[in-house]
Amino acid sequence: MKRAGNLIEAIADIENLRYAYIKARRGKEGKYEVQCFSKSLDENLLKLKKSVENDCVDVGKYHYFKIFDPKERMICAASFDERVLHHAIMNVCHQYFDRNLIADTYATRIGKGIYKALDKTFREIHNYRYVAKLDFRKYFDSISHDILKRKLKTLFKDNKLLNILYEIIDSYSTTEGRGIPIGNLTSQYFANFYLSGMDHYIKEVLKVRFYVRYMDDMLLMSDELSELKLYVSCIKSFAEYNLCLTLKPVVINVCVKGISFLGYKVYPEKILLNKLSKNRFKTKSHDYERRLYENEWNDTEYGCHVTPLYGYCCHAYSKMLRKCCQTKVVRL
């Protein structure tokens, strides 16, 4: 595949930076650093433009905090000017990352996403006897900087762009030469792209008929248990040798008994929320109601939070669960 070059000019274009700013501030307009950046918007965008053109970007100004949804994670939030930079890069580079991916990869892609991955699984699960679920141990923390850089060099030949991407990669690590921060827009693209070679190996060399990946969550199906175990063994070896990644214990099940995937339990005849997602929905819905009725949130703020929560729940058969969690007075 031909490598992309001469992209810095498009990334540094003032209108691209302005669009990146609009995307980066979305939902964060009330934050102090966003307001400070916005007060001198033209000056700050011009400063960012020059830093990109001169290959002297300032990265690594992270704020760390933990979340516990659905499990404990350390989130690494970049400063606002870095987030604008990330959006500016991906506004231009999205197409080059995307064209390297196979159709069965669903994260960070326009027209894809969790629900499309789930729908494909539901459409196909009744056609097979066995299903295997794979994911990697501490995936984001385990990504090798050197391997990621080599892979990026197969996509881009623009040295200024590569230097900026390398600086973003080197600005964070969990161990020497390993790890990318959960929370960066660039990390989502890096993490999805990191497994693209494995995707091609699975589909083009192993010739697995059913394969779906959302970030590092993967499903494979087959009518033969021995064949499925062979696929898993080959993927394990490929990931360890080529990507320095370790699989978690693999879950293999009979399709009629269903499989947990992306927070749901998928069966041939229905989709349910898994136990963790049910508990998460109950906890969040009650907390959101409390915030509304204690005037911590107004109706608009409540609606912004509860709509995606119910949207996630509604993708499964969850009528009774939603009914139990609804209050007598609905204020949206």
Side-chain angles (χ1 to χ4, degrees), residues 88-131:
I89 292 170
M90 292 311 165
N91 285 348
V92 174
C93 295
H94 168 88
Q95 61 177 310
Y96 303 107
F97 283 99
D98 193 70
R99 74 184 186 186
N100 189 265
L101 302 172
I102 66 171
D104 298 314
T105 302
Y106 285 81
T108 70
R109 305 185 73 185
I110 298 169
K112 298 282 187 176
I114 286 178
Y115 300 143
K116 289 292 179 68
L118 195 68
D119 290 344
K120 178 174 180 179
T121 303
F122 182 58
R123 287 197 309 270
E124 296 290 336
I125 194 170
H126 70 278
N127 292 327
Y128 297 90
R129 292 182 63 191
Y130 301 101
V131 57

Side-chain angles (χ1 to χ4, degrees), residues 130 222-233 252:
Y130 301 101
S222 175
D223 285 326
E224 299 296 331
L225 184 58
S226 58
E227 182 180 61
L228 194 59
K229 288 182 177 180
L230 177 61
Y231 292 156
V232 171
S233 177
I252 296 179

